[in-house]
Amino acid sequence: MQKKYSWYSLLKAGLSNQEWDKAIPLCKPKPKYDVIIIGGGGHGLATAYYLAKECGITNVAVVEKGYIGGGNTGRNTTIIRSNYLRDEASSLYEHSMRLWEGLSEDLNFNVMFSQRGVYNLGHTLQDMRDIERRVNANVLNGVDAVVVDHKEIKEQIPIINTSKNVRYPIMGASFQARAGVARHDGVAWGFARAASNLGVDIIQNCEVIDIEVEEGRVKGVKTTQGDIFADQIGCVSAGHSSVIAKMAGLRLPVESHPLQAFVSEAMKPILHTVVMSNAVHGYVSQSDKGDLVIGAGIDGYNSYAQRGSAKIVEHCAAAILELFPIFSRVRMNRQWGGIVDVCPDACPVISPTKVEGLYFNCGWGTGGFKATPGSGNVFAHTIAQDKQHELAVPFHIDRFTTGALIDEHGAAGVAH
Ligand code: FAD
Ligand code: PYC
């Protein structure tokens, strides 16, 4: 039976936190699990959720060195779209998009998925040819996408600068209406609570410091909270994937780069959609709270520090101002960086490895937030069946030796 509250007791509970249920219990590791997931970002938590929900594997631990969502999941600019060029990639991202469309209901947690549309701008004739090619491919793959010209863009976004007298005049764009944004850390919390309700242990402040391998098979992990055994281990640790791989004697085709973003003070609603430009390396949307959420291109050097250099932010701010001169007096509140794991073909790795029982899900680079539910879903099935999910097959790690690369630099390009 539901407990009855008076207005007074509700106010008291609200102000004191006393009667709030914990969203997820604080877990200590058990000695052994069927599956350990390394990394409590959105992808790791989604993997654990789908392992429990769709594969019936609930003896699962998610081991996170900091707090859940504290990596790229809580640092990204939350752009969600599925308008990739290649069949392999667009199928995977569209699978994710469909999961996004039912996610709040599925998790019983409002992830604030808002399908406000995404424009990918074109500034040259070659950009427009590439956009037309990509939109045609999208339509053939059942992904909603249209080409729009600069007049339509101006009609839809009156504050954008479509003057010809700028460094990168806007000629047109691709537009995906079902694309949009979501509440990034809410996604981590939603998956965590739903996984935890199904029996998954979410263990925070627990860093994996080594992976135990015996006779070519994983045995477990050494962590800052002790040794934990497992039959299978899924590594979903984004910018630190190659560090984890090294623990098992593996080398990944991944480079770690800083990627930066910044937010402004909050304003009344002024930008109702998402605008991205590959050419100027900038993208902007307005959050439901009212601040402008702006992101840059990667810093060109490799680093594990979650910050970047001032010149990239300066370059990005200048580019956004050229697109939106009206923002020139908006004050910026905060800036930060994440560490993204970039593969040479701008596509992820979702794959078993030569160590039995050890799987990697990484290399999402600058664009993995949009893939969170889809990635977790196909990775869970890959681990559960010890066989790649059909959508994951093209993303096997072997493609870097066979040469079957999936070049998505065009669609991923804005921040690469
Ligand atoms: P993470 O959220 O980084 O999770 C990995 C976790 O592993 C971390 O929490 C980390 O602490 C943990 N970990 C690492 N090492 C260990 C260890 N030894 N032991 C235990 N745990 C460990 N993508 C989009 O689709 N749209 C965007 O608009 C977008 N914008 C971005 C903007 C910025 C500034 C950044 C940085 C990224 C952006 N991305 C975007 C990319 C996106 O954020 C990532 O691809 C995605 O969030 C990766 O999710 P994840 O769960 O794999 O990684
Ligand atoms: O992949 O859409 C994307 C993206 C936007 C900003 C960073 N990555």
Side-chain angles (χ1 to χ4, degrees):
M1 195 151 116
Q2 285 268 313
K3 199 170 167 183
K4 288 247 160 42
Y5 288 100
S6 68
W7 281 109
Y8 171 73
S9 64
L10 262 181
L11 185 69
K12 196 172 148 209
L15 292 176
S16 68
N17 287 2
Q18 268 167 14
E19 293 182 49
W20 291 16
D21 285 339
K22 282 207 163 49
I24 52 167
L26 295 176
C27 292
K28 289 284 163 206
K30 294 192 293 204
K32 178 157 193 267
Y33 291 90
D34 293 340
V35 181
I36 290 176
I37 301 297
I38 306 178
H43 290 227
L45 294 163
T47 305
Y49 170 66
Y50 291 114
L51 272 171
K53 184 189 169 212
E54 293 188 2
C55 310
I57 302 178
T58 54
N59 186 22
V60 176
V62 177
V63 177
E64 165 55 48
K65 76 171 171 184
Y67 57 93
I68 55 168
N72 292 330
T73 297
R75 292 165 181 267
N76 78 89
T77 49
T78 84
I79 298 173
I80 295 166
R81 56 191 174 86
S82 57
N83 54 353
Y84 280 68
L85 175 67
R86 309 277 170 196
D87 296 354
E88 300 89 338
S90 79
S91 306
L92 181 62
Y93 288 103
E94 181 59 19
H95 177 56
S96 199
M97 179 68 88
R98 297 213 172 128
L99 289 171
W100 278 113
E101 287 174 332
L103 197 61
S104 293
E105 202 180 347
D106 185 27
L107 299 179
N108 188 25
F109 194 104
N110 188 359
V111 298
M112 295 170 72
F113 180 43
S114 160
Q115 291 177 291
R116 58 184 69 177
V118 171
Y119 289 84
N120 291 94
L121 300 180
H123 302 268
T124 62
L125 277 176
Q126 188 55 46
D127 278 357
M128 291 313 297
R129 284 186 205 111
D130 291 342
I131 283 173
E132 272 165 29
R133 179 177 177 216
R134 185 162 46 76
V135 165
N136 286 338
N138 291 160
V139 171
L140 287 172
N141 277 319
V143 174
D144 64 308
V146 288
V147 180
V148 289
D149 66 17
H150 66 280
K151 288 201 199 99
E152 289 169 84
I153 297 173
K154 187 72 180 170
E155 261 170 46
Q156 291 303 320
I157 316 171
I159 60 169
I160 204 165
N161 180 12
T162 48
S163 158
K164 290 202 168 69
N165 297 322
V166 290
R167 278 181 313 162
Y168 299 103
I170 296 170
M171 295 188 70
S174 67
F175 178 65
Q176 185 179 18
R178 285 161 64 238
V181 289
R183 172 80 198 261
H184 49 13
D185 36 20
V187 173
W189 302 333
F191 272 118
R193 191 182 70 174
S196 169
N197 284 343
L198 293 171
V200 170
D201 281 358
I202 293 160
I203 306 163
Q204 304 184 71
N205 295 313
C206 183
E207 180 171 358
V208 170
I209 48 179
D210 206 358
I211 297 184
E212 297 288 312
V213 180
E214 235 176 69
E215 293 173 5
R217 213 201 134 80
V218 278
K219 287 282 159 207
V221 290
K222 278 194 180 309
T223 79
T224 47
Q225 293 192 32
D227 295 354
I228 319 175
F229 293 96
D231 298 327
Q232 292 175 297
I233 298 178
C235 304
V236 203
S237 40
H240 286 81
S241 299
S242 29
V243 178
I244 302 283
K246 198 171 170 203
M247 295 176 188
L250 300 173
R251 195 151 175 246
L252 296 176
V254 160
E255 285 197 5
S256 296
H257 287 270
L259 180 66
Q260 302 187 63
F262 43 109
V263 289
S264 73
E265 61 190 334
M267 296 180 294
K268 288 191 174 165
I270 189 165
L271 182 62
H272 68 287
T273 186
V274 183
V275 177
M276 306 173 58
S277 169
N278 276 9
V280 302
H281 286 297
Y283 34 99
V284 56
S285 65
Q286 187 172 21
S287 77
D288 293 338
K289 211 167 65 181
D291 40 22
L292 295 175
V293 181
I294 299 174
I298 54 167
D299 280 65
Y301 52 86
N302 300 133
S303 170
Y304 292 112
Q306 286 176 317
R307 58 176 184 274
S309 56
K311 83 172 181 2
I312 297 285
V313 182
E314 197 181 347
H315 172 88
C316 178
I320 295 296
L321 281 187
E322 193 170 274
L323 293 174
F324 295 98
I326 192 173
F327 295 155
S328 67
R329 289 195 295 148
V330 177
R331 282 168 297 202
M332 292 301 143
N333 263 354
R334 287 181 293 119
Q335 168 274 349
W336 65 90
I339 302 299
V340 295
D341 46 338
V342 179
C343 277
D345 59 355
C347 273
V349 167
I350 310 172
S351 183
T353 65
K354 63 181 187 208
V355 176
E356 239 182 288
L358 184 67
Y359 311 80
F360 269 87
N361 180 344
C362 62
W364 293 93
T366 61
F369 179 69
K370 67 175 81 63
T372 304
S375 154
N377 187 266
V378 302
F379 197 44
H381 286 275
T382 300
I383 295 173
Q385 288 150 24
D386 191 24
K387 179 172 177 277
Q388 280 182 297
H389 184 287
E390 60 171 348
L391 291 176
V393 171
F395 301 97
H396 199 286
I397 199 166
D398 278 356
R399 74 178 188 274
F400 297 99
T401 43
T402 63
L405 303 184
I406 309 158
D407 182 358
E408 277 294 358
H409 281 100
V414 66
H416 269 69

